[in-house]
Amino acid sequence: MNTLKVSVIVPVYNVEKYLKQCLDSIINQTMRDIEIICINDGSTDGSLSVLEYYALKDNRIKIIDKKNGGLSSARNSGLRKAEGEYISFVDSDDWIDGNFLETLYDAAVSNDADISRAPYKECFSDKQVDGYIVKLFALRHSKKDTLGVNEHSIIVWNSLYRHSFLKSVFIGGDCFDENILGAEDIPFTVRTSFSAKKIVPTVETYYYYRKNVQNQLSIFSVKRSENIVLANKSVVNFLNSIEVKNTKDYLEAFKRVIWRYDDTFRRIRKMEDFSAFLKESYINCFIAEFHKCKYMDEFLRNYYEDYFKFLVNKDVKGYMLESASEKYIVTTDKLGNLSGFPIMETYMNIPKVSVIIPVYNVEKYLKQCLDSITNQTLRDIEIICIDDSSTDNSLNILYDFAKKDERVKILRQQNFGAAAARNAGLEAAAGEYVSFIDSDDWADVNFLDVLYNEAKTKDADIARTLYKYHYGTTVKESGINKMLVNRYKAGKFLGINEHSITIWNAVYKLSFLKEKKINYFDASLKQGHDIPFTARVTFSAGKIVPCKGTYYHHRENVDKQLSAFSVRRAKNLKRANRLVIAFLNSSSIGSEMAYIEAFKRVMWRYDNILQKMRQLKGVKKSLLKVFVKHFIEDFHKCKYMDEFLKTYKEDYFKFLINKDIKGYINFCNRKKLRRFIKKVFSVESKDSHKTFRILGIKAKFKYK
């Protein structure tokens, strides 16, 4: 009777430096009923000696010593000897958690699954990062869902495969095509994924994939591209030979093939040994495979890329010229205007939401942000990232995500700021709705789903939801959340002024923004640009709906170039206030009370700016006077002054009414003194007692 639960197959080629860590992680697995088949594929270093040493220590290790034939040949050799109920593939320069095999085996057996998959980490010399598929696994696992046929990375080593299942899929033949070197995982993964009756995710263990290891196949080359062509052809032949249950699964898998063809060509087109003849031959092969799509009309309706027109028309020269430009990069001017980027009319499948993310020097936080967006439960989205001339590693992170997820598009601009970046995103956007995400923030995985469905159901121009502030390890609910929840429970829409001056906790109907010609109309504002934008959208919207059940997470106290209050920031905020007043006075939208409430917010911001300016070191009195002068000028622009003064009362209003600059400044100085005195000495009266505060010490005296 076979008692082996898992056969672990480990191909080995010149990895002496890393092999011990790999083998230690396998022999120390919590699951003991395993065999470890190590295939020495003609190593010329000390790898075989390491294997022999470990085989003496652990009789579960079996060594196959063979001539060098490549990874596929080595794995096939191991499979022929395997006797386990399930099969695991571990690369010899990687390692696994101690519970890796037990977790995957238990998940597979308890769910009667043909395949179980684990999350993985990409391990660099100085850090470890989650593989891009990890959050999807966590989401599926939390809902006790199985994985779809295309919900995987093109890798074999993070999974466990039922041995009898592999024998049924690859009847009478080897699992890996030995003619394919360096892309062997592609046809194997597609074939097994489409053939499996059930694929289950796990979350309690990790595979550790070592990056930046210089092995025989790690460097991209023309030879490697030839193997990717062979792998792609194998996938297309397989897809066209089976009857798929869901056409969308076929289309998604076929799209991945086309993306690999295009990505490979753009990588190798500048290589010296990639001659004009080879280029033309490659493109002819690409076009021939493209035209093998079984559902071409539906494919073209669901997916769009600029270069598709050349493939459709079998235009080799046209594709070659188009590929000479960068695939993802589009440049913008300082106002965020684009040229040459596909706008709404060119999309064959309109996304539900266009997510716009300005990016500037946020390498520390960007991956968390993009992970939260690429793993949204709402899949029909596009993700437009605008790099604002980052000087850190942000752009490379964007490239990595764009390669993995076709929904990610990258625009680049000179350092014009977030407002210009958002304008560029708006011009490029093709979705029904638009969402703005800051690149150092993140959102719950159902964020877009909740907002889009609520907006769509109510036919709203704007949908807003809850958000939290994150100050390091401290988390604070926004003050606006309670009001949003109350409005939601009451089934009411939001009023014009029922919002924070934030744009990122909402979605906006794109047709509404275009009809009202709303964008960041003063893109030169480096800060405060959300203020006039929010005023315009809220006063112009037909319906604004509240949502609950999801959160936006805003990171505070991040070291941004403009996060600290400064004279420059004060000038930008003053300009933003003036833009709001100009809009309010030129618009007939909204009631008189809505105008008065919005105007009060402008006055409050002016006063707040001046209070903060007074605390800055080195601020000249002459500059303060200029700010107060402008404050007074804008105060007197109120369209409904009498009603405003009846509705709102502040002590400093009398100085604004009388245009008393000196009086306002002296009032502010006295207010500062009063705050200080209150901290030093204060008296608080209650029905039963009085509380005295003297130099920070409290004393309570009860009444007799």
Side-chain angles (χ1 to χ4, degrees):
M1 182 178 177
N2 180 19
T3 59
L4 289 174
K5 292 180 178 178
V6 179
S7 295
V8 185
I9 295 174
V10 187
V12 177
Y13 179 74
N14 288 354
V15 285
E16 179 183 7
K17 181 178 178 181
Y18 307 107
L19 186 54
K20 290 181 181 180
Q21 183 181 14
C22 173
L23 293 174
D24 282 338
S25 74
I26 298 172
I27 64 175
N28 291 309
Q29 288 291 297
T30 54
M31 173 176 281
R32 308 304 297 169
D33 302 332
I34 64 174
E35 63 174 351
I36 307 162
I37 304 172
C38 300
I39 308 94
N40 180 51
D41 193 37
S43 296
T44 58
D45 64 355
S47 295
L48 181 58
S49 297
V50 174
L51 292 177
E52 291 170 341
Y53 170 75
Y54 272 80
L56 291 173
K57 291 195 338 178
D58 195 318
N59 61 12
R60 296 174 302 170
I61 294 176
K62 301 171 184 177
I63 301 172
I64 299 173
D65 190 18
K66 60 184 284 293
K67 291 181 180 180
N68 180 249
L71 188 58
S72 292
S73 172
R75 284 175 177 163
N76 286 336
S77 296
L79 280 165
R80 293 186 200 110
K81 297 288 186 182
E83 297 178 357
E85 183 185 355
Y86 280 82
I87 302 293
S88 169
F89 300 99
V90 177
D91 282 0
S92 50
D93 50 2
D94 300 339
W95 69 99
I96 53 180
D97 274 338
N99 65 340
F100 181 79
L101 295 176
E102 186 171 24
T103 301
L104 283 170
Y105 179 84
D106 289 346
V109 171
S110 62
N111 290 283
D112 191 25
D114 291 324
I115 306 173
S116 57
R117 301 197 194 280
Y120 65 92
K121 290 183 183 289
E122 295 179 347
C123 303
F124 300 85
S125 58
D126 59 341
K127 61 182 178 181
Q128 296 180 359
V129 296
D130 281 347
Y132 79 96
I133 206 78
V134 169
K135 284 200 174 181
L136 174 64
F137 282 16
L139 177 64
R140 293 286 180 267
H141 186 270
S142 68
K143 295 184 176 182
K144 298 182 178 179
D145 287 342
T146 56
L147 292 171
V149 296
N150 288 298
E151 291 183 329
H152 58 74
S153 305
I154 301 294
I155 51 178
V156 305
W157 31 251
N158 70 323
S159 302
L160 207 63
Y161 304 88
R162 198 199 308 258
H163 198 173
S164 59
F165 160 71
L166 291 181
K167 289 179 179 179
S168 69
V169 173
F170 301 94
I171 299 173
D174 291 325
C175 291
F176 295 91
D177 188 336
E178 296 183 14
N179 294 313
I180 300 174
L181 301 173
E184 54 280 304
D185 287 7
I186 297 172
F188 177 90
T189 302
V190 173
R191 192 165 180 177
T192 53
S193 297
F194 270 82
S195 302
K197 292 179 180 177
K198 188 183 288 186
I199 308 172
V200 294
T202 63
V203 296
E204 301 88 358
T205 192
Y206 273 88
Y207 184 100
Y208 296 88
Y209 171 56
R210 195 186 303 274
K211 299 281 285 189
N212 296 338
V213 176
Q214 294 296 314
N215 58 40
Q216 73 276 19
L217 291 169
S218 65
I219 301 172
F220 208 92
S221 63
V222 173
K223 181 66 177 175
R224 182 171 171 81
S225 74
E226 292 172 354
N227 283 287
I228 290 175
V229 168
L230 290 175
N232 282 340
K233 284 185 173 183
S234 177
V235 169
V236 172
N237 289 338
F238 168 74
L239 291 173
N240 287 344
S241 71
I242 62 171
E243 291 296 326
V244 294
K245 296 177 183 178
N246 188 335
T247 305
K248 287 184 178 179
D249 289 338
Y250 174 99
L251 295 174
E252 175 63 24
F254 192 84
K255 174 62 179 71
R256 290 186 175 203
V257 171
I258 300 307
W259 180 87
R260 277 194 298 272
Y261 266 114
D262 178 65
D263 180 68
T264 301
F265 183 79
R266 291 171 195 272
R267 285 172 180 250
I268 61 175
R269 63 182 174 79
K270 292 182 179 179
M271 291 184 177
E272 291 181 4
D273 53 345
F274 197 42
S275 65
F277 173 77
L278 287 176
K279 287 179 184 177
E280 190 168 335
S281 298
Y282 182 95
I283 297 170
N284 277 318
C285 177
F286 184 7
I287 289 172
E289 293 300 302
F290 179 81
H291 282 273
K292 289 181 182 178
C293 182
K294 283 169 64 174
Y295 310 103
M296 182 62 79
D297 290 342
E298 196 167 348
F299 180 78
L300 293 174
R301 281 197 300 271
N302 279 273
Y303 299 103
Y304 172 82
E305 294 288 349
D306 278 348
Y307 61 84
F308 280 6
K309 60 188 174 220
F310 304 112
L311 305 181
V312 170
N313 297 322
K314 301 182 180 180
D315 183 356
V316 174
K317 186 177 179 181
Y319 175 78
M320 199 177 297
L321 290 171
E322 191 276 341
S323 66
S325 60
E326 290 288 350
K327 179 176 180 182
Y328 303 111
I329 298 176
V330 180
T331 56
T332 78
D333 64 19
K334 65 182 179 180
L335 298 179
N337 298 316
L338 307 181
S339 61
F341 193 82
I343 56 174
M344 179 183 267
E345 289 77 7
T346 64
Y347 277 78
M348 295 182 176
N349 187 34
I350 305 300
K352 290 178 178 175
V353 179
S354 296
V355 184
I356 296 171
I357 309 176
V359 176
Y360 180 72
N361 286 0
V362 285
E363 63 177 358
K364 184 177 178 181
Y365 308 106
L366 184 55
K367 190 175 185 299
Q368 182 182 14
C369 172
L370 292 174
D371 276 339
S372 78
I373 303 305
T374 57
N375 289 301
Q376 287 290 302
T377 54
L378 185 68
R379 306 304 296 166
D380 299 336
I381 64 174
E382 64 173 353
I383 305 162
I384 304 171
C385 302
I386 308 92
D387 178 65
D388 195 34
S389 294
S390 297
T391 57
D392 64 356
N393 197 44
S394 295
L395 185 57
N396 288 329
I397 294 171
L398 294 179
Y399 283 151
D400 287 342
F401 274 83
K403 290 170 186 173
K404 296 172 185 175
D405 193 325
E406 65 186 2
R407 299 171 302 170
V408 176
K409 299 174 174 65
I410 301 172
L411 284 62
R412 292 188 69 187
Q413 65 178 32
Q414 294 182 39
N415 187 220
F416 297 135
R422 287 175 177 147
N423 276 347
L426 281 170
E427 188 176 343
E432 291 178 63
Y433 284 81
V434 174
S435 168
F436 299 99
I437 306 289
D438 281 2
S439 51
D440 50 8
D441 297 344
W442 70 100
D444 285 349
V445 291
N446 65 339
F447 176 76
L448 296 175
D449 219 344
V450 170
L451 284 166
Y452 172 81
N453 286 315
E454 194 68 23
K456 189 77 172 175
T457 302
K458 304 285 176 59
D459 191 27
D461 292 325
I462 306 172
R464 297 191 191 281
T465 193
L466 317 174
Y467 62 97
K468 295 179 180 179
Y469 291 105
H470 292 256
Y471 305 83
T473 58
T474 303
V475 181
K476 181 182 177 184
E477 291 261 353
S478 165
I480 205 79
N481 288 355
K482 188 174 181 180
M483 183 273 294
L484 285 170
V485 171
N486 289 339
R487 292 288 182 272
Y488 180 87
K489 288 180 177 178
K492 293 182 178 180
F493 294 118
L494 293 173
I496 286 175
N497 289 297
E498 290 183 322
H499 61 80
S500 305
I501 302 296
T502 55
I503 61 165
W504 25 251
N505 67 323
V507 294
Y508 308 83
K509 188 183 288 184
L510 184 59
S511 59
F512 152 70
L513 296 178
K514 289 181 179 292
E515 178 191 343
K516 301 297 182 181
K517 298 181 179 178
I518 298 174
N519 64 0
Y520 285 85
F521 54 99
D522 191 343
S524 61
L525 273 177
K526 295 298 180 184
Q527 285 195 311
H529 40 260
D530 289 359
I531 297 170
F533 180 89
T534 304
R536 292 180 75 195
V537 295
T538 51
F539 269 78
S540 303
K543 295 177 187 174
I544 308 173
V545 294
C547 305
K548 69 167 193 167
T550 191
Y551 279 88
Y552 183 96
H553 300 270
H554 178 62
R555 198 187 304 272
E556 283 281 4
N557 297 338
V558 175
D559 287 329
K560 302 175 188 173
Q561 73 278 16
L562 291 168
S563 62
F565 196 86
S566 62
V567 171
R568 184 185 181 190
R569 181 176 173 86
K571 288 179 178 178
N572 277 287
L573 292 174
K574 179 183 73 173
R575 200 155 144 212
N577 281 343
R578 295 195 140 186
L579 287 170
V580 171
I581 291 173
F583 167 74
L584 292 174
N585 287 345
S586 65
S587 172
S588 58
I589 304 169
S591 65
E592 182 176 307
M593 282 309 299
Y595 173 100
I596 289 170
E597 169 62 16
F599 194 85
K600 171 62 176 69
R601 288 186 170 209
V602 176
M603 295 301 105
W604 178 88
R605 278 194 299 272
Y606 256 122
D607 182 62
N608 184 258
I609 292 165
L610 284 158
Q611 299 300 334
K612 288 183 176 180
M613 279 188 69
R614 291 175 56 259
Q615 297 172 31
L616 292 176
K617 293 181 179 179
V619 175
K620 295 179 180 179
K621 289 183 179 179
S622 58
L623 182 61
L624 277 175
K625 288 180 179 179
V626 169
F627 265 79
V628 177
K629 178 175 177 289
H630 291 161
F631 186 6
I632 291 170
E633 287 174 359
D634 286 340
F635 176 84
H636 283 273
K637 291 177 183 176
C638 182
K639 278 169 53 173
Y640 308 105
M641 182 62 80
D642 291 341
E643 194 63 32
F644 176 78
L645 293 175
K646 288 178 187 175
T647 308
Y648 296 105
K649 302 183 187 302
E650 295 286 350
D651 290 341
Y652 62 83
F653 279 4
K654 60 188 175 188
F655 304 108
L656 306 182
I657 293 169
N658 297 321
K659 301 180 181 180
D660 185 355
I661 295 173
K662 186 177 180 180
Y664 175 83
I665 293 174
N666 288 336
F667 169 80
C668 291
N669 290 334
R670 291 195 299 273
K671 188 157 63 171
K672 182 180 179 182
L673 179 61
R674 284 195 298 273
R675 282 199 300 268
F676 173 76
I677 292 172
K678 191 174 181 180
K679 285 183 179 180
V680 175
F681 177 82
S682 63
V683 179
E684 184 180 358
S685 297
K686 300 284 185 181
D687 292 338
S688 60
H689 66 276
K690 279 189 177 183
T691 300
F692 293 82
R693 183 193 296 270
I694 303 173
L695 296 176
I697 300 171
K698 283 185 178 181
K700 185 185 290 186
F701 296 90
K702 291 185 178 180
Y703 300 129
K704 290 184 178 180

